[in-house]
Amino acid sequence: MKTTLLAVGVLLTSSLQTQMAPLPSAVYSKPKQAPKQDGGRQSSEFAKGSTLDLAELSIHTSTLKPGQTNHPLQAYNDSEELVIVQDGRLTATVQDSTKTLGPGGLLLIVAGDKQSFRNASDAPATYYVLKFKAKDPVDRQRALTGGGSFMKDWSQFKVVKTDKGETRPVFDRPSSVFKRFDVHATVLKPGISSHAPHTHRAEEIILMTKGSGEILIDKQAHKAAAGDVVLLRANVPHAFTNTGSAECGYFAIQWHSNAE
């Protein structure tokens, strides 16, 4: 009996140890430690942990030197990735499709699709990788019905002019991990706020691409600049203002779980 109880205790302890620690709403900047070398790439981790809807959220940048590949074609069956090019040109292959993307180019890779990236240029290529592993089961068929994986370069996004600047709808669709996944890019004029402080059930990431500003997170103001990633947990009051002297830009990434 004691042996059985001990075994159960070990299993419970092991299970708890594998659970990711919750990530707080915050501005995450590139780590100060040296990048890690992983085969043909260097990577720097911003954050890794859990959220209300996600068993695991990991965010990092990878850099490929000219002629290098991240890895051979491979698929993740339990998660999906959102990839955004920061600098240089990245040639991405997803399943049977290959496309070269420049800064601002974006890929959604649904669970089960094979992917591989190569830098076919003569300069380094750096890109963000946001990996989502939901607490809800993966639904690959839902993703395929909604359009499957997605690749588009920055110049291909439709530009909608607004009194605050401009917006670019990227996609709003079901995915393998979320019942609804919504991404758009915003450019704000100097001194302009995106909106008044507000809350919503959907969790959100703001990925800063240019300029700088101030983001209010639950009554606390935080500086955010190009290269930073902001995580906003569900129902946390927030608002963003361009406090710089030039335009600022960012991707707004929202996900909606089956629990909503």
Side-chain angles (χ1 to χ4, degrees), residues 2 4 9 17 33 51 53 58 60 70 76 83 92 96 100 106 113 133 150 156 163 205 214 216 223 230:
K2 289 183 178 180
T4 301
Q17 287 175 342
Q33 64 264 33
T51 72
D53 295 325
S58 64
H60 70 269
N70 62 339
Y76 300 102
V83 177
D96 297 325
T100 299
L106 180 146
D113 275 4
K133 185 182 292 185
F150 176 98
Q156 296 178 293
D163 57 347
I205 286 173
E214 184 175 272
L216 188 70
K223 300 295 184 182
V230 185

Side-chain angles (χ1 to χ4, degrees), residues 64 68 83-94 96-107 116-127 150-157:
L64 294 177
Q68 289 189 321
V83 177
I84 299 174
V85 180
Q86 182 183 39
D87 294 304
R89 299 191 64 77
L90 185 70
T91 299
T93 297
V94 179
D96 297 325
S97 299
T98 298
K99 190 175 184 66
T100 299
L101 305 172
L106 180 146
L107 304 92
S116 181
F117 306 146
R118 176 174 172 78
N119 181 0
S121 72
D122 57 2
T126 300
Y127 54 96
F150 176 98
M151 288 192 287
K152 190 170 281 191
D153 208 9
W154 178 256
S155 62
Q156 296 178 293
F157 297 135

Side-chain angles (χ1 to χ4, degrees), residues 25-44:
S25 297
V27 178
Y28 293 85
S29 297
K30 186 170 291 189
K32 295 180 181 179
Q33 64 264 33
K36 295 181 180 179
Q37 191 71 38
D38 179 16
R41 65 182 171 183
Q42 288 184 333
S43 62
S44 297

Side-chain angles (χ1 to χ4, degrees), residues 170-186:
V170 177
F171 64 74
D172 188 347
R173 59 167 66 186
S175 75
S176 58
V177 169
F178 307 116
K179 72 172 186 179
R180 181 184 168 200
F181 200 5
D182 177 18
V183 178
H184 66 271
T186 292

Side-chain angles (χ1 to χ4, degrees), residues 2-247:
K2 289 183 178 180
T3 302
T4 301
L5 289 174
L6 179 60
V8 171
V10 170
L11 287 172
L12 287 173
T13 301
S14 176
S15 175
L16 290 171
Q17 287 175 342
T18 60
Q19 293 178 2
M20 291 286 176
L23 287 171
S25 297
V27 178
Y28 293 85
S29 297
K30 186 170 291 189
K32 295 180 181 179
Q33 64 264 33
K36 295 181 180 179
Q37 191 71 38
D38 179 16
R41 65 182 171 183
Q42 288 184 333
S43 62
S44 297
E45 186 176 274
F46 281 73
K48 187 174 185 179
S50 64
T51 72
L52 178 61
D53 295 325
L54 299 172
E56 180 182 329
L57 169 65
S58 64
I59 305 169
H60 70 269
T61 57
S62 285
T63 298
L64 294 177
K65 295 179 180 179
Q68 289 189 321
T69 300
N70 62 339
H71 50 63
L73 276 171
Q74 66 180 36
Y76 300 102
N77 294 317
D78 61 349
S79 59
E80 63 187 21
E81 292 184 336
L82 188 69
V83 177
I84 299 174
V85 180
Q86 182 183 39
D87 294 304
R89 299 191 64 77
L90 185 70
T91 299
T93 297
V94 179
Q95 296 291 80
D96 297 325
S97 299
T98 298
K99 190 175 184 66
T100 299
L101 305 172
L106 180 146
L107 304 92
L108 169 65
I109 306 167
V110 304
D113 275 4
K114 295 180 180 180
Q115 54 95 345
S116 181
F117 306 146
R118 176 174 172 78
N119 181 0
S121 72
D122 57 2
T126 300
Y127 54 96
Y128 297 91
V129 179
L130 286 69
K131 189 173 184 178
F132 304 90
K133 185 182 292 185
K135 295 177 180 178
D136 293 326
V138 167
D139 189 339
R140 178 168 166 79
Q141 186 55 52
R142 178 179 62 197
L144 297 179
T145 301
S149 293
F150 176 98
M151 288 192 287
K152 190 170 281 191
D153 208 9
W154 178 256
S155 62
Q156 296 178 293
F157 297 135
K158 179 182 178 182
V159 180
V160 180
K161 296 292 184 180
T162 70
D163 57 347
K164 297 180 179 182
E166 59 190 38
T167 186
R168 289 171 170 82
V170 177
F171 64 74
D172 188 347
R173 59 167 66 186
S175 75
S176 58
V177 169
F178 307 116
K179 72 172 186 179
R180 181 184 168 200
F181 200 5
D182 177 18
V183 178
H184 66 271
T186 292
V187 173
L188 285 180
K189 299 174 183 177
I192 297 295
S193 296
S194 58
H195 42 61
H198 69 295
T199 65
H200 44 69
R201 168 58 181 80
E203 298 181 302
E204 184 173 13
I205 286 173
I206 304 295
L207 192 156
M208 296 290 296
T209 55
K210 69 175 181 178
S212 61
E214 184 175 272
I215 186 154
L216 188 70
I217 304 176
D218 199 14
K219 299 181 182 180
Q220 294 292 322
H222 304 266
K223 300 295 184 182
D228 291 343
V229 177
V230 185
L231 173 63
L232 301 168
R233 297 287 297 255
N235 301 316
V236 172
H238 61 278
F240 181 81
T241 302
N242 180 356
T243 56
S245 58
E247 289 183 337

